[in-house]
Amino acid sequence: MGVDRIETKQTIATGAKPWVDQAEAPFIRISNLTKNFGDFIAVDNVSLDIYRQELFCLLGGSGCGKSTLLRMLAGFETPSSGRIEIDGQDMASIPAYERPTNMMFQSYALFPHMSVEKNVAYGLVRDGVAKAEIAERVAEMLTLVQLDGFAKRKPGQLSGGQRQRVALARSLIKRPKLLLLDEPLGALDKKLREETQFELVNIQESLGVTFIVVTHDQEEAMTLSSRIGVMDRGEIVQVGEPHAIYEYPQSRFVADFIGSVNIFEGRVTEDAENFVRLHSQEGGCDIHVAHGVSCTENQKMWLAVRPEKFSLSKEQPAGKYNFVTGTVDEIAYLGNLSVYRILLASGKNVRATRSNRDRHDAEAAPGWGDTVYLAWDDTAGVVLTQ
Amino acid sequence: MKKKPWFLSIAAVLGFTFLYAPIVSLIVFSFNESKLVTVWSGFSTKWYGKLLEDPQILGAAWISLKIAFVSASLALVFGTLAALVLTRFGRFFGKNLLGGMVTAPLVMPEVITGLSLLLLFVAMESAFGWPAGRGLLTIIIAHTTFCMAYVAIVVQSRLVDMDESLEEAALDLGAKPARVFFDVTLPVIAPALISGWLLSFTLSLDDLVIASFVSGPGASTLPMVIFSKVRLGVSPDINALATIIIVIVALGVAIASTQMKPARDS
Amino acid sequence: MTGAQAAPPLTKTLKFIGAHGRALVIGVPMWWLIVFFLIPFAVVAKISFSEAVIARPPYTSLIEWTGEGAMLLKLNFSNYAYLIEDSLYILAYWSSIKVAFFSTVATLIVAYPMAYYIARAPERRRNVLLMLIILPFWTSFLLRVYAWIGILKGNGIVNNILLSLGITSEPIVMLQTNFAVYVGIVYTYLPFMILPLFTNLVKLDNDLLEASSDLGARPMATFFKITLPLSIPGMIAGSMLVFIPVIGEFVIPALLGGPDTLMIGKVLWSEFFSNRDWPVASAVAIVMLVLLVIPIMLLRNAQAASAEGSS
């Protein structure tokens, strides 16, 4: 394996979180970065710190500016304003071909007239590395991505998954300080994508290279990343670890974009130090939240509840603060779980999932048209003020 | 990546100058007073007057226009059929042959095409008595043959670009193949048909070599007359003729591009 | 084609087309080209094996019918032998190939930066520039060659400028030289080189150029390692579109070249029109065709390659 050649600094150990440590200096520092194309603002005043050996995902829908941000890091786009620093060095005057970054393109951008070997060697040849060393490093890299024996093939003779690995090998061979990956798994089918996700994480961990991955696939982002930056309309709306993004979204956009969510609108009826009580017209209920929120009486707020946080039953739950009632409108059986669409009296649809833990619970499971109760803990929901 | 190297821009400017300088010089010296084409001696339009009084040139121009109109129209029909057959008819016996015959006239040296057609006409005449003698008819046949290759190429590339599911959708909705062609295919490829016809028309108007071979007495086309004059040296009335042709072409292109724009946008 | 509403004769025609449509649509262009493009070559080949006579038509028949209806084939190779014996023909072929080769290279050198410039221009500008490339092609080829007479001749525009600037004291002889022929060829065939090159270069995936730059290649290295190799099919197609017709070019050497400009198109022309020797002219044409087989194959391959690349 070629791993030992690359100076393996200590990888981000499980639990080590440089972004929490105030003393840690960020490896990549993006400050007030803006890019506009004419009137269109693609990236809007983004500031972001990324640390050594992170696998950072930029997540967002199409046109949210994530690719433009990546291209500015690579040096293909010139920022309209703002600053990019990599390892303490300002990138403004450094052309793409001199940056300590490499990129893996969404299209892979493999040179069709060169063999796999030539493609992978290209970066080293440009740097004038000695022939023997090139051969050795190419061989190592091909082993790392499990492509020994394909060295002489042309890209046109490879499968999609193989091409993806050639692209990865080619972008890693120069041992970049930072690897930029634009939808690295986007062109693969679902099954291959899931396998490759873990491979990618393994390679990243063993080489200790900092990765920035652009993706629109939230599942991919959750699986891969140490942290996620969610982007919307050119801005980064939230940065955090996957579970934080999922469990503590800071806005309705993030809550809605990552996974599925039910949002109840309500007004504060009781504002105490360690709990709040909302009244929700939509839910037709009072909601108890077991922590304090800085708010004022009668303020409009939203409570976001993930579908799996509900417990679904045909009988009225006892001893719970929060529940709504409605009728089953639609059931989708997915095997591992069933997704219910419940119609509330207010006309609002609520999504709830019920895991199929018991093979023989057809009797207990609510059916179409049943009146059901959806209950959730007073800590299960997230209060959103924006 | 965005900025272009300076030498590219310089090369482009020089290239376009190279393309247009001769044309500009033709136009400028058509208004020259003196018979010496390249020495400026004052503005005059007398060469235009002289040109319009030259019965030989006017007669040849009329013959050329007739030939070009008929050849372009025939070439349009045959060339479109060839393109359609090559792109939409799947496999059939002789497809490669047809493909080869469609592209070969594009590069075939004109002397060979001209000679071979003349020899064919002569052989046919002595075998079946048709075509009797040579003239307009033989020039039209010759021009149709090489122009249809151009039409076929232009239409073919348009058909290849066209989304075939449009035609499939029409078939699916119950249109018979011929209906589909007239309702769906034809409107989509119309711009290619127009440019194919125009291309054929100008190629026919322009051809000297093939026409010289297959023409007979009394059928001198405009290029044949120009060539015999030009061989004797430059003369300002040829400049005037060139200017008229250039103006007509430029106008035609301007009209075509303004007319075609909305069609392309929609 | 129910035909209920259509007029009867039309219905009949339509029905016929409906029943035989496919064969008819294939047959019309196919037979036209067979009769007027393919068979003529057979006729040329045939006549190249016959003898010249003073008659109408001025050649002998290859086939004679004996009294019993048997066929007698008389092949006459003397025309080909004549092409080899008389050094004029070999020199003319050789010189045509040379002229075609060097003018193709020159056209490529002029065309490449222009095609590259247009392909990299913003889309709206690109269409205008392309139009400017094609526009001269729509005006008379003959007149565009004629324009160069006025520019290159002894008291022409170039000499006038050089003389007035004092660069030269005597007019430089340019017209009726091979130099003028080269200029004329590059000028008239430039669009044929630029268009295939443009089509190729405009398809070049920008990601590849960025990938190259990303891996540390300076713009020049990217050009020579990525752009240039990937544009080879365009270069071949363009080169063949110039090389093949130039081999048989007649008008340009006739108008711009001098008495010692030897090109096979001119030789064939004079063999036919001045010497009226049809069999020798046919033999000249057949040999020229044979010489062109390889370039034509190259062209077809390049076109097939680019068609594959685009799909």
Side-chain angles (χ1 to χ4, degrees):
Chain A
M1 294 277 280
V3 183
D4 51 356
R5 290 197 56 93
I6 289 131
E7 21 174 340
T8 24
K9 293 176 192 131
Q10 147 230 359
T11 56
I12 297 184
T14 335
K17 293 176 181 172
W19 49 91
V20 180
D21 187 355
Q22 295 292 325
E24 188 81 30
F27 183 53
I28 293 142
R29 175 166 264 162
I30 298 169
S31 9
N32 307 99
L33 198 65
T34 296
K35 174 74 188 178
N36 32 306
F37 299 103
D39 290 341
F40 177 69
I41 302 173
V43 172
D44 192 359
N45 198 25
V46 165
S47 294
L48 183 64
D49 287 343
I50 296 170
Y51 295 84
R52 205 179 283 276
Q53 293 170 28
E54 266 203 84
L55 201 167
F56 192 96
C57 272
L58 285 169
L59 177 64
S62 62
C64 71
K66 56 191 193 304
S67 292
T68 310
L69 182 53
L70 198 72
R71 289 169 58 78
M72 285 194 279
L73 285 164
F76 302 139
E77 305 283 359
T78 319
S80 306
S81 65
R83 189 179 161 86
I84 298 171
E85 257 175 54
I86 299 177
D87 207 4
Q89 195 184 9
D90 183 10
M91 287 291 125
S93 59
I94 300 182
Y97 52 86
E98 282 170 2
R99 291 197 182 192
T101 63
N102 280 128
M103 175 142 159
M104 188 183 147
F105 289 76
Q106 184 175 11
S107 65
Y108 307 148
L110 298 180
F111 306 131
H113 57 302
M114 294 182 192
S115 62
V116 166
E117 195 177 42
K118 289 261 169 61
N119 263 286
V120 176
Y122 189 83
L124 296 180
V125 176
R126 296 280 77 74
D127 283 0
V129 176
K131 267 199 175 145
E133 192 190 338
I134 293 178
E136 195 185 328
R137 279 169 69 176
V138 168
E140 278 169 11
M141 199 42 89
L142 289 181
T143 310
L144 180 67
V145 297
Q146 299 160 32
L147 280 174
D148 329 67
F150 291 90
K152 302 288 176 205
R153 295 251 190 118
K154 290 276 177 70
Q157 300 164 311
L158 299 177
S159 72
Q162 290 166 338
R163 268 183 243 175
Q164 192 259 358
R165 297 210 295 272
V166 177
L168 184 62
R170 189 181 70 177
S171 58
L172 279 170
I173 197 148
K174 291 183 74 177
R175 301 166 189 166
K177 288 182 177 170
L178 169 64
L179 186 67
L180 307 164
L181 302 96
D182 190 359
E183 304 272 1
L185 309 172
L188 306 180
D189 58 51
K190 191 171 159 57
K191 200 147 180 106
L192 195 55
R193 196 158 62 217
E194 280 166 7
E195 287 167 22
T196 317
Q197 278 172 3
F198 294 105
E199 233 173 85
L200 204 60
V201 173
N202 285 338
I203 288 176
Q204 194 264 341
E205 280 177 356
S206 61
L207 298 185
V209 175
T210 310
F211 275 29
I212 298 181
V213 177
V214 152
T215 180
H216 68 276
D217 182 339
Q218 39 132 335
E219 226 173 279
E220 191 174 298
M222 302 294 257
T223 320
L224 291 175
S225 40
S226 58
R227 282 192 302 155
I228 295 175
V230 182
M231 288 191 74
D232 179 34
R233 279 172 275 175
E235 290 175 68
I236 294 212
V237 289
Q238 188 171 354
V239 177
E241 291 164 56
H243 82 91
I245 297 269
Y246 187 78
E247 300 292 356
Y248 307 103
Q250 287 164 359
S251 62
R252 279 181 295 156
F253 174 82
V254 175
D256 201 30
F257 189 75
I258 314 285
S260 70
V261 74
N262 299 292
I263 293 180
F264 297 100
E265 193 183 294
R267 283 187 186 280
V268 180
T269 52
E270 214 178 330
D271 176 20
E273 199 169 321
N274 56 353
F275 73 92
V276 229
R277 192 178 281 279
L278 307 174
H279 178 74
S280 171
Q281 202 90 44
E282 276 182 331
C285 64
D286 277 344
I287 299 168
H288 186 266
V289 180
H291 57 83
V293 179
S294 61
C295 60
T296 56
E297 197 98 347
N298 211 27
Q299 187 189 332
K300 200 190 212 180
M301 290 210 280
W302 294 269
L303 186 79
V305 186
R306 301 280 184 196
E308 73 276 7
K309 303 281 195 273
F310 289 119
S311 75
L312 187 65
S313 62
K314 289 198 259 190
E315 288 87 38
Q316 180 162 348
K320 299 260 189 181
Y321 283 114
N322 304 317
F323 68 86
V324 292
T325 174
T327 52
V328 176
D329 190 37
E330 204 67 75
I331 308 172
Y333 177 75
L334 300 181
N336 55 344
L337 47 82
S338 298
V339 179
Y340 282 76
R341 194 170 79 191
I342 315 287
L343 184 63
L344 304 189
S346 65
K348 184 180 171 65
N349 279 312
V350 176
R351 244 170 105 91
T353 56
R354 181 173 191 279
S355 87
N356 295 328
R357 216 171 306 152
D358 187 346
R359 284 173 64 196
H360 307 289
D361 75 343
E363 284 296 299
W368 271 277
D370 286 354
T371 299
V372 289
Y373 299 88
L374 290 172
W376 68 94
D377 284 350
D378 51 7
T379 54
V382 179
V383 175
L384 302 169
T385 50
Q386 46 175 316
Chain B
M1 289 272 89
K2 287 285 143 62
K3 60 176 187 222
K4 271 182 238 151
W6 55 270
F7 58 83
L8 252 190
S9 310
I10 291 180
V13 169
L14 287 178
F16 279 106
T17 312
F18 176 61
L19 271 180
Y20 281 91
I23 293 173
V24 171
S25 82
L26 274 181
I27 297 174
V28 168
F29 285 101
S30 75
F31 295 108
N32 194 3
E33 173 80 50
S34 154
K35 183 151 179 65
L36 282 171
V37 168
T38 52
V39 183
W40 186 256
S41 59
F43 183 87
S44 158
T45 53
K46 69 177 177 191
W47 303 110
Y48 289 86
K50 200 175 161 228
L51 182 75
L52 295 176
E53 281 160 18
D54 187 334
Q56 195 195 5
I57 287 208
L58 291 181
W62 178 236
I63 289 175
S64 277
L65 285 172
K66 279 193 289 194
I67 292 172
F69 183 82
V70 178
S71 309
S73 307
L74 284 175
L76 179 66
V77 175
F78 295 157
T80 306
L81 287 180
L84 207 60
V85 162
L86 286 172
T87 51
R88 291 290 191 269
F89 275 48
R91 307 212 153 270
F92 57 88
F93 180 72
K95 183 173 178 176
N96 281 333
L97 176 69
L98 185 63
M101 289 193 302
V102 161
T103 40
L106 303 182
V107 289
M108 194 54 65
E110 291 168 319
V111 282
I112 297 184
T113 312
L115 176 72
S116 63
L117 273 166
L118 168 68
L119 296 182
L120 174 83
F121 292 139
V122 170
M124 281 171 78
E125 190 184 6
S126 66
F128 330 110
W130 185 91
R134 286 176 298 284
L136 282 189
L137 178 68
T138 48
I139 300 178
I140 286 171
I141 292 175
H143 282 186
T144 302
T145 308
F146 83 86
C147 288
M148 76 179 268
Y150 281 88
V151 174
I153 296 300
V154 173
V155 175
Q156 208 178 341
S157 69
R158 180 82 188 143
L159 279 171
V160 167
D161 286 345
M162 176 183 173
D163 185 359
E164 238 175 288
S165 58
L166 290 180
E167 287 158 334
E168 286 163 359
L171 282 172
D172 181 62
L173 294 168
K176 293 207 166 69
R179 253 273 70 89
V180 173
F181 175 75
F182 287 106
D183 286 356
V184 178
T185 317
L186 205 57
V188 174
I189 63 171
L193 298 185
I194 294 171
S195 50
W197 189 89
L198 287 173
L199 187 61
S200 302
F201 187 80
T202 44
L203 283 170
S204 169
L205 265 188
D206 209 15
D207 167 64
L208 165 70
V209 175
I210 296 175
S212 300
F213 275 100
V214 300
S215 160
S220 287
T221 63
L222 189 59
M224 289 162 73
V225 172
I226 296 174
F227 185 67
S228 62
K229 277 181 181 278
V230 164
R231 272 202 138 167
L232 305 175
V234 286
S235 70
D237 50 337
I238 297 296
N239 284 44
L241 179 64
T243 305
I244 292 173
I245 292 178
I246 290 163
V247 168
I248 291 173
V249 167
L251 277 178
V253 168
I255 291 170
S257 61
T258 51
Q259 292 296 303
M260 240 110 120
K261 273 247 170 65
R264 202 178 300 152
D265 289 346
S266 66
Chain C
M1 241 154 277
T2 49
Q5 310 93 319
L10 183 64
T11 320
K12 249 185 168 172
T13 331
L14 286 180
K15 267 198 175 140
F16 180 79
I17 292 174
H20 306 274
R22 193 181 152 88
L24 217 77
V25 172
I26 296 175
V28 169
M30 183 82 117
W31 280 107
W32 180 278
L33 285 171
I34 287 177
V35 170
F36 294 115
F37 186 71
L38 210 54
I39 293 183
F41 291 123
V43 176
V44 175
K46 189 196 108 179
I47 292 171
S48 73
F49 288 110
S50 62
E51 269 175 86
V53 289
I54 298 173
R56 280 181 70 106
Y59 52 86
T60 58
S61 172
L62 291 193
I63 298 163
E64 280 179 8
W65 298 93
T66 59
E68 286 81 45
M71 207 171 73
L72 198 66
L73 188 64
K74 291 199 302 182
L75 282 187
N76 173 6
F77 289 92
S78 65
N79 300 314
Y80 291 95
Y82 181 58
L83 294 191
I84 297 170
E85 281 161 26
D86 193 334
S87 64
L88 167 81
Y89 298 99
I90 292 176
L91 282 177
Y93 281 119
W94 178 236
S95 144
S96 293
I97 292 172
K98 252 184 359 198
V99 170
F101 177 79
F102 287 117
S103 51
T104 302
V105 171
T107 314
L108 183 60
I109 292 170
V110 178
Y112 203 105
M114 294 180 77
Y116 191 88
Y117 180 86
I118 299 171
R120 298 271 119 194
E123 198 161 334
R124 199 176 286 174
R125 272 253 303 285
R126 194 191 291 165
N127 289 333
V128 175
L129 293 174
L130 267 187
M131 180 78 86
L132 284 176
I133 295 289
I134 301 167
L135 202 61
F137 178 76
W138 291 84
T139 64
S140 171
F141 160 72
L142 192 56
L143 291 172
R144 277 179 295 135
V145 176
Y146 161 77
W148 282 99
I149 300 180
I151 295 174
L152 295 177
K153 67 181 186 164
N155 56 352
I157 295 170
V158 169
N159 272 321
N160 286 348
I161 292 172
L162 292 180
L163 286 170
S164 67
L165 291 177
I167 293 172
T168 169
S169 53
E170 294 229 335
I172 301 170
V173 179
M174 288 177 289
L175 194 63
Q176 301 201 327
T177 63
N178 278 353
F179 170 74
V181 175
Y182 281 118
V183 171
I185 292 173
V186 173
Y187 178 68
T188 45
Y189 286 91
L190 197 56
F192 292 95
M193 185 69 91
I194 291 179
L195 293 179
L197 269 177
F198 165 80
T199 319
N200 174 289
L201 288 171
V202 81
K203 275 191 302 204
L204 185 66
D205 186 355
N206 200 41
D207 277 3
L208 295 180
L209 305 183
E210 287 184 352
S212 170
S213 171
D214 182 61
L215 291 165
R218 294 170 164 278
M220 268 297 165
T222 298
F223 176 77
F224 284 107
K225 296 292 170 186
I226 309 295
T227 311
L228 200 66
L230 285 175
S231 63
I232 286 174
M235 284 160 56
I236 294 178
S239 297
M240 292 306 114
L241 284 178
V242 175
F243 183 86
I244 298 167
V246 168
I247 286 280
E249 183 56 52
F250 165 73
V251 175
I252 297 171
L255 290 182
L256 301 180
D260 48 334
T261 307
L262 203 53
M263 283 189 71
I264 202 65
K266 241 174 91 179
V267 169
L268 189 150
W269 181 281
S270 61
E271 206 59 66
F272 186 85
F273 286 104
S274 315
N275 302 352
R276 304 222 123 246
D277 191 335
W278 293 18
V280 169
S282 299
V284 169
I286 292 294
V287 173
M288 202 194 302
L289 263 183
V290 171
L291 284 180
L292 290 178
V293 166
I294 292 171
I296 289 178
M297 302 279 272
L298 269 177
L299 176 64
R300 285 212 63 156
N301 286 345
Q303 282 169 336
S306 76
E308 229 164 69
S310 66
S311 64

